[in-house]
Amino acid sequence: NAGVTQTPKFQVLKTGQSMTLQCAQDMNHEYMSWYRQDPGMGLRLIHYSVGAGITDQGEVPNGYNVSRSTTEDFPLRLLSAAPSQTSVYFCASSYSGLYQETQYFGPGTRLLVL
Amino acid sequence: AQTVTQSQPEMSVQEAETVTLSCTYDTSESDYYLFWYKQPPSRQMILVIRQEAYKQQNATENRFSVNFQKAAKSFSLKISDSQLGDAAMYFCAYRKGGSEKLVFGKGTKLTVNP
């Protein structure tokens, strides 16, 4: 298993540009989520999904869109990038339900918005 | 809303010594889970240890153990026989029972001196 993969590893954008951060997992996990990590802060939840076709907002959803068309993929879209979105983005996944399984994190995508 | 507080932005320890990282949390829930994640310079988030709130026994994983004080809402991490590879950011995290969403503290940077 590759686990949770994220692409790209690093990206530079200009203000107003759009892009999609990719996240994929091959563990058949129902639950997937996106976090952002800023200096001096812990990870904060952006959006999450409990299964294909189901998404919901986390703590800091503004400026981001998500969709979940397959179990494996959970892309994060920035429609019009802003400097405030400069951050490190982590995708995570886990089995969902009663057993409170451990969440597995991807390696992160570092995004710089100029 | 649940909050997680790590009051020590930085800690240092001598190799082979023991260090304790502090974490407190605020919740009105009775069913929840607590975690310690390690983030080395590679930025990968690695689960160190987890604790179920309904368990009175403190969790241990090799050199890592926790002191879970439910009434005080305290969840500290003890690292015994510290190794150079333990140097990293350590994040305390909370998850409510029935939810997959993690709430993180701001982290503690641990330095291990040879």
Side-chain angles (χ1 to χ4, degrees):
Chain A
N1 286 348
V4 181
T5 58
Q6 292 183 236
T7 56
K9 291 184 179 179
F10 177 65
Q11 182 72 46
V12 180
L13 289 179
K14 294 182 179 178
T15 297
Q17 286 185 317
S18 63
M19 82 160 293
T20 300
L21 279 64
Q22 302 291 345
C23 174
Q25 52 88 13
D26 60 358
M27 297 172 282
N28 203 31
H29 286 166
E30 298 96 338
Y31 181 81
M32 297 185 74
S33 56
W34 278 102
Y35 292 84
R36 61 177 288 173
Q37 183 181 23
D38 301 301
M41 305 282 290
L43 280 68
R44 292 181 293 168
L45 182 65
I46 304 171
H47 284 285
Y48 64 98
S49 168
V50 298
I54 307 170
T55 64
D56 206 345
Q57 296 181 350
E59 180 185 354
V60 287
N62 292 340
Y64 307 95
N65 282 346
V66 293
S67 60
R68 183 96 178 269
S69 56
T70 67
T71 299
E72 294 78 19
D73 301 296
F74 190 44
L76 179 71
R77 297 183 187 86
L78 285 70
L79 298 179
S80 179
S84 61
Q85 293 178 304
T86 293
S87 189
V88 180
Y89 293 84
F90 288 94
C91 180
S93 74
S94 68
Y95 290 110
S96 189
L98 299 176
Y99 300 105
Q100 299 296 323
E101 292 288 337
T102 298
Q103 290 195 24
Y104 295 88
F105 283 82
T109 293
R110 185 169 164 236
L111 177 66
L112 176 61
V113 183
L114 301 175
Chain B
Q2 293 86 9
T3 59
V4 177
T5 302
Q6 293 180 248
S7 59
Q8 306 153 317
E10 296 188 27
M11 292 281 286
S12 64
V13 63
Q14 291 296 125
E15 196 175 4
E17 297 294 309
T18 295
V19 64
T20 298
L21 309 184
S22 301
C23 172
T24 59
Y25 58 95
D26 185 25
T27 184
S28 58
E29 304 290 334
S30 58
D31 179 22
Y32 56 88
Y33 299 77
L34 297 164
F35 306 84
W36 279 98
Y37 279 89
K38 171 185 177 181
Q39 187 180 44
S42 66
R43 289 205 308 269
Q44 182 74 45
M45 294 291 287
I46 303 165
L47 178 68
V48 175
I49 200 165
R50 62 178 275 165
Q51 174 79 44
E52 293 82 354
Y54 63 84
K55 289 186 177 179
Q56 294 189 344
Q57 187 173 5
N58 290 328
T60 62
E61 287 288 341
N62 300 314
R63 296 182 296 105
F64 298 88
S65 61
V66 298
N67 184 5
F68 175 46
Q69 301 289 326
K70 192 171 183 178
K73 296 181 182 175
S74 172
F75 182 61
S76 60
L77 175 70
K78 185 171 82 171
I79 306 174
S80 304
D81 186 25
S82 297
Q83 301 176 359
L84 296 177
D86 295 334
M89 284 291 291
Y90 285 83
F91 292 96
C92 180
Y94 163 98
R95 193 164 81 189
K96 185 176 74 171
S99 170
E100 305 293 341
K101 293 185 279 187
L102 285 168
V103 177
F104 285 87
K106 293 185 178 181
T108 296
K109 181 180 180 181
L110 178 66
T111 301
V112 181
N113 300 309

mmCIF file with all atom_site columns, all heavy atoms in Angstrom, chain A residues 77-101:
data_model
loop_
_atom_site.group_PDB
_atom_site.id
_atom_site.type_symbol
_atom_site.label_atom_id
_atom_site.label_alt_id
_atom_site.label_comp_id
_atom_site.label_asym_id
_atom_site.label_entity_id
_atom_site.label_seq_id
_atom_site.pdbx_PDB_ins_code
_atom_site.Cartn_x
_atom_site.Cartn_y
_atom_site.Cartn_z
_atom_site.occupancy
_atom_site.B_iso_or_equiv
_atom_site.pdbx_formal_charge
_atom_site.auth_seq_id
_atom_site.auth_comp_id
_atom_site.auth_asym_id
_atom_site.auth_atom_id
_atom_site.pdbx_PDB_model_num
ATOM 1   N N   . ARG A 1 77  ? -9.631  22.269 -3.778 1.00 0.00 ? 77  ARG A N   1
ATOM 2   C CA  . ARG A 1 77  ? -9.522  23.310 -4.810 1.00 0.00 ? 77  ARG A CA  1
ATOM 3   C C   . ARG A 1 77  ? -9.454  24.699 -4.202 1.00 0.00 ? 77  ARG A C   1
ATOM 4   O O   . ARG A 1 77  ? -10.261 25.034 -3.325 1.00 0.00 ? 77  ARG A O   1
ATOM 5   C CB  . ARG A 1 77  ? -10.719 23.230 -5.762 1.00 0.00 ? 77  ARG A CB  1
ATOM 6   C CG  . ARG A 1 77  ? -10.797 21.927 -6.531 1.00 0.00 ? 77  ARG A CG  1
ATOM 7   C CD  . ARG A 1 77  ? -11.957 21.918 -7.519 1.00 0.00 ? 77  ARG A CD  1
ATOM 8   N NE  . ARG A 1 77  ? -12.116 20.605 -8.128 1.00 0.00 ? 77  ARG A NE  1
ATOM 9   C CZ  . ARG A 1 77  ? -12.819 19.622 -7.583 1.00 0.00 ? 77  ARG A CZ  1
ATOM 10  N NH1 . ARG A 1 77  ? -13.428 19.808 -6.425 1.00 0.00 ? 77  ARG A NH1 1
ATOM 11  N NH2 . ARG A 1 77  ? -12.907 18.458 -8.205 1.00 0.00 ? 77  ARG A NH2 1
ATOM 12  N N   . LEU A 1 78  ? -8.504  25.474 -4.699 1.00 0.00 ? 78  LEU A N   1
ATOM 13  C CA  . LEU A 1 78  ? -8.436  26.891 -4.390 1.00 0.00 ? 78  LEU A CA  1
ATOM 14  C C   . LEU A 1 78  ? -8.883  27.620 -5.651 1.00 0.00 ? 78  LEU A C   1
ATOM 15  O O   . LEU A 1 78  ? -8.217  27.553 -6.685 1.00 0.00 ? 78  LEU A O   1
ATOM 16  C CB  . LEU A 1 78  ? -7.019  27.313 -4.028 1.00 0.00 ? 78  LEU A CB  1
ATOM 17  C CG  . LEU A 1 78  ? -6.478  26.921 -2.645 1.00 0.00 ? 78  LEU A CG  1
ATOM 18  C CD1 . LEU A 1 78  ? -6.235  25.427 -2.546 1.00 0.00 ? 78  LEU A CD1 1
ATOM 19  C CD2 . LEU A 1 78  ? -5.218  27.696 -2.337 1.00 0.00 ? 78  LEU A CD2 1
ATOM 20  N N   . LEU A 1 79  ? -10.004 28.304 -5.600 1.00 0.00 ? 79  LEU A N   1
ATOM 21  C CA  . LEU A 1 79  ? -10.563 28.925 -6.798 1.00 0.00 ? 79  LEU A CA  1
ATOM 22  C C   . LEU A 1 79  ? -9.852  30.228 -7.146 1.00 0.00 ? 79  LEU A C   1
ATOM 23  O O   . LEU A 1 79  ? -9.679  30.559 -8.309 1.00 0.00 ? 79  LEU A O   1
ATOM 24  C CB  . LEU A 1 79  ? -12.059 29.170 -6.610 1.00 0.00 ? 79  LEU A CB  1
ATOM 25  C CG  . LEU A 1 79  ? -12.890 27.903 -6.389 1.00 0.00 ? 79  LEU A CG  1
ATOM 26  C CD1 . LEU A 1 79  ? -14.356 28.255 -6.198 1.00 0.00 ? 79  LEU A CD1 1
ATOM 27  C CD2 . LEU A 1 79  ? -12.722 26.937 -7.572 1.00 0.00 ? 79  LEU A CD2 1
ATOM 28  N N   . SER A 1 80  ? -9.443  30.985 -6.123 1.00 0.00 ? 80  SER A N   1
ATOM 29  C CA  . SER A 1 80  ? -8.756  32.264 -6.333 1.00 0.00 ? 80  SER A CA  1
ATOM 30  C C   . SER A 1 80  ? -7.800  32.441 -5.160 1.00 0.00 ? 80  SER A C   1
ATOM 31  O O   . SER A 1 80  ? -8.187  32.938 -4.105 1.00 0.00 ? 80  SER A O   1
ATOM 32  C CB  . SER A 1 80  ? -9.764  33.408 -6.399 1.00 0.00 ? 80  SER A CB  1
ATOM 33  O OG  . SER A 1 80  ? -9.101  34.649 -6.577 1.00 0.00 ? 80  SER A OG  1
ATOM 34  N N   . ALA A 1 81  ? -6.566  32.016 -5.361 1.00 0.00 ? 81  ALA A N   1
ATOM 35  C CA  . ALA A 1 81  ? -5.614  31.964 -4.255 1.00 0.00 ? 81  ALA A CA  1
ATOM 36  C C   . ALA A 1 81  ? -5.320  33.346 -3.679 1.00 0.00 ? 81  ALA A C   1
ATOM 37  O O   . ALA A 1 81  ? -5.238  34.352 -4.412 1.00 0.00 ? 81  ALA A O   1
ATOM 38  C CB  . ALA A 1 81  ? -4.310  31.320 -4.727 1.00 0.00 ? 81  ALA A CB  1
ATOM 39  N N   . ALA A 1 82  ? -5.141  33.371 -2.360 1.00 0.00 ? 82  ALA A N   1
ATOM 40  C CA  . ALA A 1 82  ? -4.800  34.591 -1.635 1.00 0.00 ? 82  ALA A CA  1
ATOM 41  C C   . ALA A 1 82  ? -3.555  34.330 -0.794 1.00 0.00 ? 82  ALA A C   1
ATOM 42  O O   . ALA A 1 82  ? -3.320  33.183 -0.383 1.00 0.00 ? 82  ALA A O   1
ATOM 43  C CB  . ALA A 1 82  ? -5.963  35.008 -0.739 1.00 0.00 ? 82  ALA A CB  1
ATOM 44  N N   . PRO A 1 83  ? -2.774  35.376 -0.511 1.00 0.00 ? 83  PRO A N   1
ATOM 45  C CA  . PRO A 1 83  ? -1.568  35.175 0.320  1.00 0.00 ? 83  PRO A CA  1
ATOM 46  C C   . PRO A 1 83  ? -1.873  34.521 1.665  1.00 0.00 ? 83  PRO A C   1
ATOM 47  O O   . PRO A 1 83  ? -1.027  33.799 2.203  1.00 0.00 ? 83  PRO A O   1
ATOM 48  C CB  . PRO A 1 83  ? -1.036  36.598 0.489  1.00 0.00 ? 83  PRO A CB  1
ATOM 49  C CG  . PRO A 1 83  ? -1.474  37.313 -0.742 1.00 0.00 ? 83  PRO A CG  1
ATOM 50  C CD  . PRO A 1 83  ? -2.835  36.752 -1.052 1.00 0.00 ? 83  PRO A CD  1
ATOM 51  N N   . SER A 1 84  ? -3.064  34.733 2.199  1.00 0.00 ? 84  SER A N   1
ATOM 52  C CA  . SER A 1 84  ? -3.437  34.129 3.485  1.00 0.00 ? 84  SER A CA  1
ATOM 53  C C   . SER A 1 84  ? -3.557  32.610 3.391  1.00 0.00 ? 84  SER A C   1
ATOM 54  O O   . SER A 1 84  ? -3.643  31.927 4.420  1.00 0.00 ? 84  SER A O   1
ATOM 55  C CB  . SER A 1 84  ? -4.767  34.707 3.978  1.00 0.00 ? 84  SER A CB  1
ATOM 56  O OG  . SER A 1 84  ? -5.803  34.423 3.054  1.00 0.00 ? 84  SER A OG  1
ATOM 57  N N   . GLN A 1 85  ? -3.560  32.079 2.169  1.00 0.00 ? 85  GLN A N   1
ATOM 58  C CA  . GLN A 1 85  ? -3.639  30.637 1.992  1.00 0.00 ? 85  GLN A CA  1
ATOM 59  C C   . GLN A 1 85  ? -2.258  29.988 1.886  1.00 0.00 ? 85  GLN A C   1
ATOM 60  O O   . GLN A 1 85  ? -2.154  28.769 1.695  1.00 0.00 ? 85  GLN A O   1
ATOM 61  C CB  . GLN A 1 85  ? -4.489  30.293 0.768  1.00 0.00 ? 85  GLN A CB  1
ATOM 62  C CG  . GLN A 1 85  ? -5.949  30.675 0.963  1.00 0.00 ? 85  GLN A CG  1
ATOM 63  C CD  . GLN A 1 85  ? -6.809  30.387 -0.245 1.00 0.00 ? 85  GLN A CD  1
ATOM 64  O OE1 . GLN A 1 85  ? -6.516  30.871 -1.355 1.00 0.00 ? 85  GLN A OE1 1
ATOM 65  N NE2 . GLN A 1 85  ? -7.867  29.622 -0.057 1.00 0.00 ? 85  GLN A NE2 1
ATOM 66  N N   . THR A 1 86  ? -1.213  30.802 2.025  1.00 0.00 ? 86  THR A N   1
ATOM 67  C CA  . THR A 1 86  ? 0.128   30.242 2.136  1.00 0.00 ? 86  THR A CA  1
ATOM 68  C C   . THR A 1 86  ? 0.190   29.391 3.392  1.00 0.00 ? 86  THR A C   1
ATOM 69  O O   . THR A 1 86  ? -0.066  29.866 4.496  1.00 0.00 ? 86  THR A O   1
ATOM 70  C CB  . THR A 1 86  ? 1.173   31.368 2.218  1.00 0.00 ? 86  THR A CB  1
ATOM 71  O OG1 . THR A 1 86  ? 1.211   32.058 0.969  1.00 0.00 ? 86  THR A OG1 1
ATOM 72  C CG2 . THR A 1 86  ? 2.554   30.813 2.536  1.00 0.00 ? 86  THR A CG2 1
ATOM 73  N N   . SER A 1 87  ? 0.517   28.114 3.213  1.00 0.00 ? 87  SER A N   1
ATOM 74  C CA  . SER A 1 87  ? 0.440   27.178 4.333  1.00 0.00 ? 87  SER A CA  1
ATOM 75  C C   . SER A 1 87  ? 0.982   25.833 3.891  1.00 0.00 ? 87  SER A C   1
ATOM 76  O O   . SER A 1 87  ? 1.354   25.638 2.733  1.00 0.00 ? 87  SER A O   1
ATOM 77  C CB  . SER A 1 87  ? -1.017  27.034 4.792  1.00 0.00 ? 87  SER A CB  1
ATOM 78  O OG  . SER A 1 87  ? -1.108  26.291 5.995  1.00 0.00 ? 87  SER A OG  1
ATOM 79  N N   . VAL A 1 88  ? 1.021   24.906 4.829  1.00 0.00 ? 88  VAL A N   1
ATOM 80  C CA  . VAL A 1 88  ? 1.289   23.509 4.504  1.00 0.00 ? 88  VAL A CA  1
ATOM 81  C C   . VAL A 1 88  ? -0.027  22.753 4.669  1.00 0.00 ? 88  VAL A C   1
ATOM 82  O O   . VAL A 1 88  ? -0.687  22.873 5.710  1.00 0.00 ? 88  VAL A O   1
ATOM 83  C CB  . VAL A 1 88  ? 2.372   22.897 5.405  1.00 0.00 ? 88  VAL A CB  1
ATOM 84  C CG1 . VAL A 1 88  ? 2.603   21.440 5.025  1.00 0.00 ? 88  VAL A CG1 1
ATOM 85  C CG2 . VAL A 1 88  ? 3.670   23.696 5.292  1.00 0.00 ? 88  VAL A CG2 1
ATOM 86  N N   . TYR A 1 89  ? -0.383  22.000 3.655  1.00 0.00 ? 89  TYR A N   1
ATOM 87  C CA  . TYR A 1 89  ? -1.666  21.313 3.632  1.00 0.00 ? 89  TYR A CA  1
ATOM 88  C C   . TYR A 1 89  ? -1.464  19.806 3.790  1.00 0.00 ? 89  TYR A C   1
ATOM 89  O O   . TYR A 1 89  ? -0.650  19.200 3.104  1.00 0.00 ? 89  TYR A O   1
ATOM 90  C CB  . TYR A 1 89  ? -2.404  21.605 2.330  1.00 0.00 ? 89  TYR A CB  1
ATOM 91  C CG  . TYR A 1 89  ? -2.828  23.040 2.222  1.00 0.00 ? 89  TYR A CG  1
ATOM 92  C CD1 . TYR A 1 89  ? -1.959  24.024 1.749  1.00 0.00 ? 89  TYR A CD1 1
ATOM 93  C CD2 . TYR A 1 89  ? -4.107  23.436 2.635  1.00 0.00 ? 89  TYR A CD2 1
ATOM 94  C CE1 . TYR A 1 89  ? -2.347  25.357 1.680  1.00 0.00 ? 89  TYR A CE1 1
ATOM 95  C CE2 . TYR A 1 89  ? -4.499  24.756 2.563  1.00 0.00 ? 89  TYR A CE2 1
ATOM 96  C CZ  . TYR A 1 89  ? -3.612  25.709 2.093  1.00 0.00 ? 89  TYR A CZ  1
ATOM 97  O OH  . TYR A 1 89  ? -4.007  27.030 2.040  1.00 0.00 ? 89  TYR A OH  1
ATOM 98  N N   . PHE A 1 90  ? -2.235  19.241 4.704  1.00 0.00 ? 90  PHE A N   1
ATOM 99  C CA  . PHE A 1 90  ? -2.164  17.812 4.953  1.00 0.00 ? 90  PHE A CA  1
ATOM 100 C C   . PHE A 1 90  ? -3.515  17.168 4.670  1.00 0.00 ? 90  PHE A C   1
ATOM 101 O O   . PHE A 1 90  ? -4.559  17.670 5.076  1.00 0.00 ? 90  PHE A O   1
ATOM 102 C CB  . PHE A 1 90  ? -1.783  17.521 6.407  1.00 0.00 ? 90  PHE A CB  1
ATOM 103 C CG  . PHE A 1 90  ? -0.357  17.832 6.736  1.00 0.00 ? 90  PHE A CG  1
ATOM 104 C CD1 . PHE A 1 90  ? -0.018  19.057 7.280  1.00 0.00 ? 90  PHE A CD1 1
ATOM 105 C CD2 . PHE A 1 90  ? 0.644   16.905 6.498  1.00 0.00 ? 90  PHE A CD2 1
ATOM 106 C CE1 . PHE A 1 90  ? 1.303   19.358 7.584  1.00 0.00 ? 90  PHE A CE1 1
ATOM 107 C CE2 . PHE A 1 90  ? 1.958   17.190 6.795  1.00 0.00 ? 90  PHE A CE2 1
ATOM 108 C CZ  . PHE A 1 90  ? 2.289   18.421 7.338  1.00 0.00 ? 90  PHE A CZ  1
ATOM 109 N N   . CYS A 1 91  ? -3.447  16.034 4.016  1.00 0.00 ? 91  CYS A N   1
ATOM 110 C CA  . CYS A 1 91  ? -4.612  15.190 3.814  1.00 0.00 ? 91  CYS A CA  1
ATOM 111 C C   . CYS A 1 91  ? -4.509  14.012 4.785  1.00 0.00 ? 91  CYS A C   1
ATOM 112 O O   . CYS A 1 91  ? -3.392  13.535 5.065  1.00 0.00 ? 91  CYS A O   1
ATOM 113 C CB  . CYS A 1 91  ? -4.641  14.708 2.373  1.00 0.00 ? 91  CYS A CB  1
ATOM 114 S SG  . CYS A 1 91  ? -6.023  13.633 1.956  1.00 0.00 ? 91  CYS A SG  1
ATOM 115 N N   . ALA A 1 92  ? -5.640  13.554 5.298  1.00 0.00 ? 92  ALA A N   1
ATOM 116 C CA  . ALA A 1 92  ? -5.646  12.418 6.220  1.00 0.00 ? 92  ALA A CA  1
ATOM 117 C C   . ALA A 1 92  ? -6.803  11.498 5.881  1.00 0.00 ? 92  ALA A C   1
ATOM 118 O O   . ALA A 1 92  ? -7.808  11.931 5.302  1.00 0.00 ? 92  ALA A O   1
ATOM 119 C CB  . ALA A 1 92  ? -5.737  12.894 7.664  1.00 0.00 ? 92  ALA A CB  1
ATOM 120 N N   . SER A 1 93  ? -6.689  10.238 6.261  1.00 0.00 ? 93  SER A N   1
ATOM 121 C CA  . SER A 1 93  ? -7.783  9.300  6.020  1.00 0.00 ? 93  SER A CA  1
ATOM 122 C C   . SER A 1 93  ? -7.843  8.274  7.141  1.00 0.00 ? 93  SER A C   1
ATOM 123 O O   . SER A 1 93  ? -6.849  8.034  7.847  1.00 0.00 ? 93  SER A O   1
ATOM 124 C CB  . SER A 1 93  ? -7.615  8.603  4.666  1.00 0.00 ? 93  SER A CB  1
ATOM 125 O OG  . SER A 1 93  ? -6.579  7.631  4.719  1.00 0.00 ? 93  SER A OG  1
ATOM 126 N N   . SER A 1 94  ? -9.011  7.667  7.278  1.00 0.00 ? 94  SER A N   1
ATOM 127 C CA  . SER A 1 94  ? -9.187  6.604  8.268  1.00 0.00 ? 94  SER A CA  1
ATOM 128 C C   . SER A 1 94  ? -10.462 5.843  7.944  1.00 0.00 ? 94  SER A C   1
ATOM 129 O O   . SER A 1 94  ? -11.314 6.323  7.183  1.00 0.00 ? 94  SER A O   1
ATOM 130 C CB  . SER A 1 94  ? -9.262  7.167  9.686  1.00 0.00 ? 94  SER A CB  1
ATOM 131 O OG  . SER A 1 94  ? -10.442 7.915  9.863  1.00 0.00 ? 94  SER A OG  1
ATOM 132 N N   . TYR A 1 95  ? -10.594 4.675  8.550  1.00 0.00 ? 95  TYR A N   1
ATOM 133 C CA  . TYR A 1 95  ? -11.874 4.012  8.529  1.00 0.00 ? 95  TYR A CA  1
ATOM 134 C C   . TYR A 1 95  ? -12.831 4.841  9.383  1.00 0.00 ? 95  TYR A C   1
ATOM 135 O O   . TYR A 1 95  ? -12.421 5.495  10.334 1.00 0.00 ? 95  TYR A O   1
ATOM 136 C CB  . TYR A 1 95  ? -11.774 2.598  9.108  1.00 0.00 ? 95  TYR A CB  1
ATOM 137 C CG  . TYR A 1 95  ? -11.022 1.633  8.241  1.00 0.00 ? 95  TYR A CG  1
ATOM 138 C CD1 . TYR A 1 95  ? -9.769  1.162  8.616  1.00 0.00 ? 95  TYR A CD1 1
ATOM 139 C CD2 . TYR A 1 95  ? -11.558 1.196  7.036  1.00 0.00 ? 95  TYR A CD2 1
ATOM 140 C CE1 . TYR A 1 95  ? -9.069  0.279  7.815  1.00 0.00 ? 95  TYR A CE1 1
ATOM 141 C CE2 . TYR A 1 95  ? -10.862 0.314  6.233  1.00 0.00 ? 95  TYR A CE2 1
ATOM 142 C CZ  . TYR A 1 95  ? -9.625  -0.142 6.624  1.00 0.00 ? 95  TYR A CZ  1
ATOM 143 O OH  . TYR A 1 95  ? -8.927  -1.014 5.833  1.00 0.00 ? 95  TYR A OH  1
ATOM 144 N N   . SER A 1 96  ? -14.073 4.803  9.058  1.00 0.00 ? 96  SER A N   1
ATOM 145 C CA  . SER A 1 96  ? -15.048 5.575  9.805  1.00 0.00 ? 96  SER A CA  1
ATOM 146 C C   . SER A 1 96  ? -15.923 4.634  10.607 1.00 0.00 ? 96  SER A C   1
ATOM 147 O O   . SER A 1 96  ? -15.878 3.432  10.437 1.00 0.00 ? 96  SER A O   1
ATOM 148 C CB  . SER A 1 96  ? -15.892 6.406  8.849  1.00 0.00 ? 96  SER A CB  1
ATOM 149 O OG  . SER A 1 96  ? -16.708 7.309  9.553  1.00 0.00 ? 96  SER A OG  1
ATOM 150 N N   . GLY A 1 97  ? -16.690 5.200  11.506 1.00 0.00 ? 97  GLY A N   1
ATOM 151 C CA  . GLY A 1 97  ? -17.639 4.378  12.219 1.00 0.00 ? 97  GLY A CA  1
ATOM 152 C C   . GLY A 1 97  ? -17.332 4.238  13.689 1.00 0.00 ? 97  GLY A C   1
ATOM 153 O O   . GLY A 1 97  ? -16.801 5.133  14.322 1.00 0.00 ? 97  GLY A O   1
ATOM 154 N N   . LEU A 1 98  ? -17.621 3.086  14.225 1.00 0.00 ? 98  LEU A N   1
ATOM 155 C CA  . LEU A 1 98  ? -17.631 2.897  15.660 1.00 0.00 ? 98  LEU A CA  1
ATOM 156 C C   . LEU A 1 98  ? -16.255 2.677  16.267 1.00 0.00 ? 98  LEU A C   1
ATOM 157 O O   . LEU A 1 98  ? -16.079 2.804  17.461 1.00 0.00 ? 98  LEU A O   1
ATOM 158 C CB  . LEU A 1 98  ? -18.520 1.705  16.019 1.00 0.00 ? 98  LEU A CB  1
ATOM 159 C CG  . LEU A 1 98  ? -19.989 1.819  15.629 1.00 0.00 ? 98  LEU A CG  1
ATOM 160 C CD1 . LEU A 1 98  ? -20.708 0.519  15.968 1.00 0.00 ? 98  LEU A CD1 1
ATOM 161 C CD2 . LEU A 1 98  ? -20.647 2.984  16.328 1.00 0.00 ? 98  LEU A CD2 1
ATOM 162 N N   . TYR A 1 99  ? -15.284 2.342  15.458 1.00 0.00 ? 99  TYR A N   1
ATOM 163 C CA  . TYR A 1 99  ? -14.047 1.841  16.026 1.00 0.00 ? 99  TYR A CA  1
ATOM 164 C C   . TYR A 1 99  ? -12.959 2.893  16.183 1.00 0.00 ? 99  TYR A C   1
ATOM 165 O O   . TYR A 1 99  ? -11.870 2.594  16.627 1.00 0.00 ? 99  TYR A O   1
ATOM 166 C CB  . TYR A 1 99  ? -13.538 0.666  15.188 1.00 0.00 ? 99  TYR A CB  1
ATOM 167 C CG  . TYR A 1 99  ? -14.541 -0.449 15.156 1.00 0.00 ? 99  TYR A CG  1
ATOM 168 C CD1 . TYR A 1 99  ? -15.313 -0.686 14.025 1.00 0.00 ? 99  TYR A CD1 1
ATOM 169 C CD2 . TYR A 1 99  ? -14.762 -1.231 16.272 1.00 0.00 ? 99  TYR A CD2 1
ATOM 170 C CE1 . TYR A 1 99  ? -16.255 -1.690 14.000 1.00 0.00 ? 99  TYR A CE1 1
ATOM 171 C CE2 . TYR A 1 99  ? -15.709 -2.241 16.251 1.00 0.00 ? 99  TYR A CE2 1
ATOM 172 C CZ  . TYR A 1 99  ? -16.446 -2.463 15.121 1.00 0.00 ? 99  TYR A CZ  1
ATOM 173 O OH  . TYR A 1 99  ? -17.382 -3.458 15.121 1.00 0.00 ? 99  TYR A OH  1
ATOM 174 N N   . GLN A 1 100 ? -13.276 4.145  15.818 1.00 0.00 ? 100 GLN A N   1
ATOM 175 C CA  . GLN A 1 100 ? -12.338 5.240  16.052 1.00 0.00 ? 100 GLN A CA  1
ATOM 176 C C   . GLN A 1 100 ? -10.931 4.883  15.617 1.00 0.00 ? 100 GLN A C   1
ATOM 177 O O   . GLN A 1 100 ? -9.987  4.944  16.396 1.00 0.00 ? 100 GLN A O   1
ATOM 178 C CB  . GLN A 1 100 ? -12.355 5.626  17.536 1.00 0.00 ? 100 GLN A CB  1
ATOM 179 C CG  . GLN A 1 100 ? -13.704 6.097  18.013 1.00 0.00 ? 100 GLN A CG  1
ATOM 180 C CD  . GLN A 1 100 ? -14.168 7.382  17.322 1.00 0.00 ? 100 GLN A CD  1
ATOM 181 O OE1 . GLN A 1 100 ? -13.369 8.250  17.042 1.00 0.00 ? 100 GLN A OE1 1
ATOM 182 N NE2 . GLN A 1 100 ? -15.456 7.481  17.005 1.00 0.00 ? 100 GLN A NE2 1
ATOM 183 N N   . GLU A 1 101 ? -10.808 4.486  14.390 1.00 0.00 ? 101 GLU A N   1
ATOM 184 C CA  . GLU A 1 101 ? -9.509  4.097  13.882 1.00 0.00 ? 101 GLU A CA  1
ATOM 185 C C   . GLU A 1 101 ? -8.563  5.285  13.792 1.00 0.00 ? 101 GLU A C   1
ATOM 186 O O   . GLU A 1 101 ? -8.965  6.425  13.684 1.00 0.00 ? 101 GLU A O   1
ATOM 187 C CB  . GLU A 1 101 ? -9.683  3.488  12.486 1.00 0.00 ? 101 GLU A CB  1
ATOM 188 C CG  . GLU A 1 101 ? -10.405 2.157  12.468 1.00 0.00 ? 101 GLU A CG  1
ATOM 189 C CD  . GLU A 1 101 ? -9.554  1.039  13.016 1.00 0.00 ? 101 GLU A CD  1
ATOM 190 O OE1 . GLU A 1 101 ? -8.330  1.186  13.004 1.00 0.00 ? 101 GLU A OE1 1
ATOM 191 O OE2 . GLU A 1 101 ? -10.127 0.035  13.459 1.00 0.00 ? 101 GLU A OE2 1
#
